[in-house]
Amino acid sequence: MNISRRDFLRSLDVGSAAGIAVQWPLASTPRADRFEPSRSSREPGLILLYSNENAYGPSPKVVESIKSSVNGVNRYPRMEYQALVELIAGLHHVKPDQVLLGCGSTEILRMAAFTFLGNGKQLIHASPTFEAIEHYAHAVGSEVIPVRLTRDYAHDLDGMLGRAGSASTLVYICNPNNPTASLTPRKDLETFISKLAASTFVVIDEAYHHYVGGSGMYASFIDRPLGDERVIVARTFSKVYGLAGLRLGYAVASPKIIQQMRGFATQDNINAVVTRVAEAALDDSDAVYDFVQRNSNDRQEFFNHAMGRALKPIDSHANFVMMNTFHPAQEMIEHFQRNNILIGRHFPPMDTYIRVSLGRPEEMQAFWTAWDKLPYPKSSMQH
Ligand SMILES: Cc1ncc(COP(=O)(O)O)c(C=O)c1O
């Protein structure tokens, strides 16, 4: 049968022809625009200090690889998928069946929620922490139990243990934690995991792993595995590798757990460009080193500026900084927006804290210039 181009195009428009409006249930849909300010990041002159991206990345070698990877995007990247799994497995000295790729580590978190949660089960997480998994837990009908961070901004592991009943099937640990950039000591995590019920799984989100540096409090659960089947580690290419827009994350866990989680992966979830580019990103270790160095200089510079104003940010082990302003976070966010700067969202219950992602020096200069225009007496913003 011949079909005209016009009929063909009309045939694609099934939903609107039938008057069907497809709607997502808002309460259960984690969407980036519910996490971040509504202004478009493409507005010219806007300074983006709000999503903890790598302000410098990706590296020139990776940019070259992106350009050359465009050839071939007419094909599904199925063979490349396996090659990338093997590459990541080799990097971490694990078997390929211990690695699962995700469309960003957000998809890893979603798969974990779908695998381990559901009606009658519970998610325990810190408050505040990165919220994606909490939204997915709600989406699958789980109860969500937030446990406030300690006074040192570590996970309150005793508090979490106290809330972990027999239905507690998943604990989310973000280390370093977003939004506080703080660490929970490795030895405390080991004790905590050893006390959890055998049926409770733990996702350890190491999105900011590279920025930690040499802290003796920290060791990655990929680099120093516990050999415990209940531990799932999530990593991302969105931070130090500078590839947030290309969407790639992964999990490392036991073969059995990876197989269970894979059942909830979107089919063909990894795009053809990033399957090739990831190799260039992993190869370019000089660039990773350079990004980490720049971040530590930028972080130090941030603290110098803050201390010069008698402010005391939380000690940061990541590429962002959180600090108490002693004024409503929302007012601060709006002040910076008026100055064309987007900073992190409001993170209840830390209602007077702001989270600032580290940008390039000139962007941070603009941040401090805007800071100095705040309409509050300086003494009201200090300890
Ligand atoms: C702790 C943490 N985990 C996961 C993510 C999601 O990263 P992506 O989906 O880009 O890999 C983020 C993003 O900011 C994050 O802060």
Side-chain angles (χ1 to χ4, degrees), residues 129-368:
T129 194
F130 185 62
E131 306 95 331
I133 199 162
E134 174 193 340
H135 291 287
Y136 293 121
H138 284 302
V140 296
S142 278
E143 187 191 355
V144 173
I145 302 179
V147 178
R148 271 197 87 150
L149 296 171
T150 65
R151 289 165 69 87
D152 297 335
Y153 308 100
H155 287 68
D156 177 2
L157 299 173
D158 287 340
M160 291 174 127
L161 214 49
R163 301 297 303 276
S166 55
S168 304
T169 47
L170 191 61
V171 179
Y172 173 70
I173 303 281
C174 186
N175 201 31
N177 188 46
N178 179 9
T180 46
S182 47
L183 286 181
T184 301
R186 162 80 186 212
K187 67 172 178 20
D188 296 352
L189 286 169
E190 285 183 19
T191 311
F192 170 72
I193 293 167
S194 72
K195 290 183 184 166
L196 285 172
S199 57
T200 298
F201 291 82
V202 186
V203 169
I204 302 190
D205 188 336
E206 296 185 352
Y208 300 99
H209 160 81
H210 293 88
Y211 295 116
V212 174
S215 169
M217 277 210 297
Y218 177 85
S220 159
F221 279 81
I222 297 185
D223 299 344
R224 255 179 50 203
L226 280 188
D228 187 320
E229 192 156 71
R230 299 169 303 157
V231 176
I232 299 116
V233 186
R235 289 275 187 98
T236 180
F237 279 75
S238 297
K239 306 301 175 185
V240 83
Y241 298 111
L243 293 173
L246 281 188
R247 314 302 303 126
L248 180 64
Y250 60 94
V252 175
S254 76
K256 186 170 141 209
I257 296 301
I258 291 295
Q259 199 186 353
Q260 283 177 24
M261 289 174 62
R262 194 190 308 286
F264 296 98
T266 305
Q267 208 176 327
D268 296 312
N269 58 351
I270 307 304
N271 70 74
V273 172
V274 86
T275 48
R276 300 184 185 125
V277 167
E279 181 170 0
L282 292 174
D283 263 358
D284 200 355
S285 49
D286 287 348
V288 170
Y289 177 78
D290 188 42
F291 289 144
V292 169
Q293 281 305 116
R294 286 194 207 196
N295 184 67
S296 99
N297 294 341
D298 294 343
R299 195 163 55 190
Q300 186 56 56
E301 190 62 19
F302 187 98
F303 275 76
N304 294 346
H305 273 280
M307 283 174 335
R309 291 165 177 81
L311 306 166
K312 287 193 187 140
I314 299 172
D315 197 13
S316 167
H317 299 270
N319 62 343
F320 55 93
V321 179
M322 196 178 212
M323 65 180 170
N324 197 352
T325 66
F326 301 96
H327 289 274
Q330 199 52 43
E331 280 181 21
M332 304 291 296
I333 291 166
E334 284 164 18
H335 168 82
F336 283 102
Q337 274 197 26
R338 284 192 293 277
N339 286 275
N340 276 332
I341 298 172
L342 301 188
I343 60 170
R345 55 197 176 272
H346 170 206
F347 289 93
M350 295 177 77
D351 297 326
T352 57
Y353 286 71
I354 56 170
R355 188 196 68 188
V356 184
S357 308
L358 295 169
R360 292 166 177 254
E362 63 279 13
E363 296 175 322
M364 299 319 292
Q365 190 54 55
F367 170 84
W368 288 111

Side-chain angles (χ1 to χ4, degrees), residues 64-81:
E64 272 318 301
S65 162
I66 293 171
K67 288 182 188 156
S68 62
S69 299
V70 165
N71 290 331
V73 294
N74 54 323
R75 303 285 178 195
Y76 291 105
R78 290 183 186 149
M79 286 183 257
E80 289 88 340
Y81 182 103

